[in-house]
Structures are given as C-alpha cells and as structure tokens.
Amino acid sequence: MKNNFSPKISVVIPMFNAEKYIGECLESVLNQTLQDFEIIVVDDCSTDKSCEIVKSYVKNFADKIKLVRKIFNSGYCGDSNNIGMKISRGEYLFFLDSDDFIAENSFEELYKIAKNFSADVVQCEKYFQVPEKSSLKNINLSALNPVSYPNIKFVDEPTLLTENIEKRAVEWLERKFLWPNWTQLIRRDFIFENNLEFILCTAQDRIMTCCMVLCAKKYVRVPNVINFYRIVENSISHKKRNFDDSVSVWVNTIVQGFQYLNKFLNNQNFFKNN
C-alpha cells in the first residue's frame, strides 16, 4: 500500500480459518461501486489456506489489500478489529466478518449518507441471513427477506438519532438497536476521540455499539440492507459448547463487559451527573 494513501473507507476483516469464504468476502469488497477504500485482513493464526488465498489477492491488489498475521491466537475477533483499526488510514471504518459478503453499492450508499449528516455512525437496521453454501453467484435477492430484532422501530429514510442520552439508554436496554458492527459505517476519528476499543469477549460488538450509542453526537439510522450474514455451523457465534465452557465464556463476557462499561460511563458527563 502507498504510505500516503488516505481512503474514504478502511475495511477491517478479522480472519480465522476462513478458506471457504474469504475469497468471496474480498470479491464483494473489491467489486464495490465506490472504489476509494483499503482492506486490512487481520489473521488470528489460521491453520488452513486462508492466508495463501489472501496473498493471491494481494498480488493483484497490492495498493488496496494488506494482510496482517498475528503471532498468538486470541480466539476473539475483537482483538483483530483493534489491530486493524489502529493501522487503518480511512476516514470511515467498516468491519466485515470473513465469512460474510456485502452488496456492491454498500459503500457508495453509506458514505454518501455519512457525509450528508457529518455522521459519527451510520447504522443499518436490517441484514440478509443466508445459508452456509450461499454465494454472490447463486444468491436470489428477490427470495430474501431482511431480518432484524423485533423491538426496533424501523426507519424508511436516513434518520438522525435523538440527542437525548437518557432516551438512547432506555431504548438500548429495550433492545431497540441492532448491535453487530458489520451493519455500521463508523467515523475513524470518532473511535479514537472517545477511546473506544473492542474487548476480548463474545459480546464485543454489543459493548462497542452500546458505547457508540451513548456518546455519538450524530448517529444515523438508515433503511439500507447491505450485509449477507452467512450461517456457518462451527463459527464462533454458532459453535456448540458444553455447559462448563458456556459458563466460562459468558462469565468472562459479563465481567469484562461490566468493567469496560463502568470505566466508559464514568468518563461521560451525562452519567457522572445521573
């Protein structure tokens, strides 16, 4: 990559053993109608051919793609996301799972909205959920229905979130926000201005989105549906665990999550005073 390259969007892709999907994930980004972006793939010590596949793309798109290989496996994509965003140079950040793919006009649509609103965060409220063997070549868009959370009051046009932090907090507790970061375009400087980072637990997306909802000056909800979320049976999100492992995972999530939220909220004026 060129050292002075400052793109509109930095795409951060955490990766672990994604040889079946990473090629198509990269293709969906490379085929975007808005081409002013960089791709940062952060590999969490894959043991399959994932890195070889990414390297084959780097040969042809060296000006757009960077592969970062970690020395130790963390087991959580939050660590890879932190690494990716620290070395990113884009005006906005987009986090994409290595087994998912996106519509070709995703960046063009979201970036235009972000600039129109001078947004810190642009949040899609729905996404497509597709079977593991789906691909860009065989997907039938007319047969897909977007999915989301039942409590969300969906917008039909780009809509700026209320500035009332108390109302935002209540709506968050009522599960009225979609929390996966792969549904969001996030202003990079906003992340660092508020000292935000992903924690190493299962619910890192949820914690990050909660903090952004509670501190963003301009948070925009949009009706755009851009992400194709692939249901992979052995992924981190869908991996079957025994009882002891499940307890360990969620106790860790609760402890780390509350510690991080407590530290974050104590630095926010609204919560200091309320």
Side-chain angles (χ1 to χ4, degrees), residues 99-272:
D99 53 1
D100 293 345
F101 51 94
I102 54 176
E104 65 179 10
N105 57 352
S106 302
F107 294 167
E108 183 176 5
E109 291 182 355
L110 297 191
Y111 184 78
K112 182 178 180 180
I113 294 169
K115 297 301 289 183
N116 285 344
F117 282 86
S118 298
D120 295 317
V121 183
V122 177
Q123 169 78 67
C124 301
E125 297 185 318
K126 300 177 183 179
Y127 60 94
F128 293 117
Q129 189 167 286
V130 297
E132 182 173 354
K133 294 184 179 180
S134 298
S135 71
L136 285 168
K137 296 179 181 179
N138 65 25
I139 201 78
N140 181 3
L141 281 174
S142 62
L144 290 178
N145 292 315
V147 298
S148 190
Y149 300 159
N151 290 350
I152 296 176
K153 294 180 179 179
F154 302 113
V155 299
D156 54 14
E157 63 180 6
T159 303
L160 198 61
L161 197 65
T162 176
E163 294 183 1
N164 186 320
I165 300 300
E166 180 180 359
K167 186 175 181 180
R168 289 189 189 185
V170 170
E171 289 187 349
W172 172 262
L173 293 172
E174 294 175 346
R175 293 176 61 87
K176 292 182 178 179
F177 290 91
L178 193 62
W179 51 262
N181 293 127
W182 39 258
T183 61
Q184 302 159 345
L185 188 66
I186 308 166
R187 186 169 64 86
R188 183 183 184 277
D189 286 350
F190 161 72
I191 292 283
F192 294 104
E193 288 164 1
N194 290 278
N195 298 313
L196 297 174
E197 64 179 1
F198 292 90
I199 60 175
L200 303 189
C201 71
T202 299
Q204 73 277 337
D205 278 25
R206 188 171 302 197
I207 300 298
M208 174 66 88
T209 300
C210 178
C211 292
M212 292 194 300
V213 166
L214 296 176
C215 72
K217 293 181 179 178
K218 293 188 177 181
Y219 197 107
V220 182
R221 288 175 144 166
V222 298
N224 308 60
V225 185
I226 64 164
N227 195 282
F228 295 84
Y229 177 73
R230 195 191 304 267
I231 304 298
V232 179
E233 185 175 348
N234 292 321
S235 67
I236 293 177
S237 300
H238 299 94
K239 183 178 180 181
K240 294 181 179 179
R241 299 183 175 92
N242 60 40
F243 179 78
D244 289 342
D245 287 343
S246 295
V247 170
S248 176
V249 166
W250 286 107
V251 167
N252 174 61
T253 295
I254 291 170
V255 171
Q256 285 205 52
F258 276 111
Q259 287 177 342
Y260 184 86
L261 281 174
N262 184 59
K263 180 181 178 181
F264 171 79
L265 296 177
N266 283 336
N267 288 322
Q268 301 298 311
N269 289 331
F270 173 84
F271 293 98
K272 285 181 182 178

Side-chain angles (χ1 to χ4, degrees), residues 12-14 25 77 95-101 182 227 229 237:
V12 178
I13 304 176
C25 176
C77 63
F95 298 96
L96 179 62
D97 287 357
S98 58
D99 53 1
D100 293 345
F101 51 94
W182 39 258
N227 195 282
Y229 177 73
S237 300

